[in-house]
Amino acid sequence: MAKIILFGGHGRVALLLAPLLVERGDEVTAVIRNPDHVTDVESTGARACVADVETLGVPDLAHLIDGHDAVVWSAGAGGGNPARTRAVDQEAAIRTMQAAEQVGVKRYVMVSYFNSSPAHGVPPEEPFFHYAEAKAAADGFLRSSNVDWTILGPSGLTLEPASGTIDTRASTSGLVSRGNVALTVAAVLNDNTTVHRTINFNDGTVPIAEAIGA
């Protein structure tokens, strides 16, 4: 059993992930901003923790993270507002990394996007530009940290049922179900060969445990 803190606990991926973790015996704390979402989150078996990561500093985040075995970042501003995208997807994410280091929580799984990189090539006039910039900065900080990180790069997200099979060898982004993303997060948390690796993936035909194997 592991104690896992999940940031972005009311997101679509997180709501699929939490019951997977709970079912296998993990203890899940799901961090959410809106108290109206407590019932939804707790219906997954997770414990809801109402906290606004956009405004919390490192000491408060360290207090939340302390006592857990792993951090999963699946939060996001949702796009549309450049300032808030930077505040959540970059700055708040980085503060959780600093907080994890401060309290000695080593395992950290970041849900990013396919081929996130400073060389993302998104034109500044495109709405996605600010998200791409924020994720590149957060992912870069995570790679330079002292935690046991894994960065997951799912491609375009769909609402299709989870197949349990993915493709980690594709060079271009395709589509992947949110259910498969949740299954992949759960799998990497239990697979130490994924530490210090970035794994981009689409839906595919290879069972997830095999696909993420080193």
Side-chain angles (χ1 to χ4, degrees):
M1 183 195 81
K3 294 183 178 180
I4 298 164
I5 186 165
L6 172 57
F7 287 93
H10 194 256
R12 288 176 175 175
V13 169
L15 289 173
L16 295 171
L17 172 62
L20 296 174
L21 300 176
V22 170
E23 185 177 342
R24 73 185 189 190
D26 293 334
E27 235 178 76
V28 180
T29 301
V31 181
I32 55 175
R33 184 171 59 91
N34 188 340
D36 293 341
H37 295 158
V38 167
T39 301
D40 290 346
V41 166
E42 293 192 338
S43 71
T44 69
R47 179 181 72 86
C49 173
V50 179
D52 186 356
V53 296
E54 188 175 352
T55 59
L56 290 183
V58 173
D60 288 327
L61 289 167
H63 180 71
L64 289 185
I65 292 170
D66 193 21
H68 292 87
D69 301 304
V71 176
V72 176
W73 179 271
S74 187
N81 183 320
R84 188 155 186 270
T85 296
R86 179 183 174 91
V88 175
D89 293 276
Q90 177 178 334
E91 294 169 354
I94 287 173
R95 288 197 298 274
T96 64
M97 299 167 201
Q98 294 169 322
E101 282 193 299
Q102 189 174 106
V103 294
V105 175
K106 293 293 289 181
R107 194 70 172 102
Y108 194 112
V109 175
M110 165 64 74
V111 180
S112 188
Y113 75 96
F114 199 103
N115 280 347
S116 170
S117 162
H120 52 71
V122 180
E125 63 272 16
E126 293 287 334
F128 191 73
F129 173 81
H130 303 285
Y131 178 78
E133 288 282 286
K135 293 303 282 186
D139 293 352
F141 189 95
L142 184 56
R143 290 188 183 102
S144 68
S145 73
N146 291 319
V147 300
D148 293 337
W149 56 266
T150 302
I151 296 173
L152 294 178
S155 54
L157 300 175
T158 75
L159 293 173
E160 293 299 312
S163 65
T165 54
I166 58 174
D167 176 9
T168 60
R169 298 182 180 276
S171 58
T172 57
S173 175
L175 296 173
V176 64
S177 71
R178 287 175 171 85
N180 276 344
V181 177
L183 286 168
T184 303
V185 175
V188 301
L189 282 166
N190 268 2
D191 186 343
N192 288 335
T193 72
T194 65
V195 170
H196 296 160
R197 289 174 55 204
T198 299
I199 303 172
N200 296 307
F201 61 101
N202 301 324
D203 279 334
T205 59
V206 181
I208 288 170
E210 180 183 340
I212 65 172

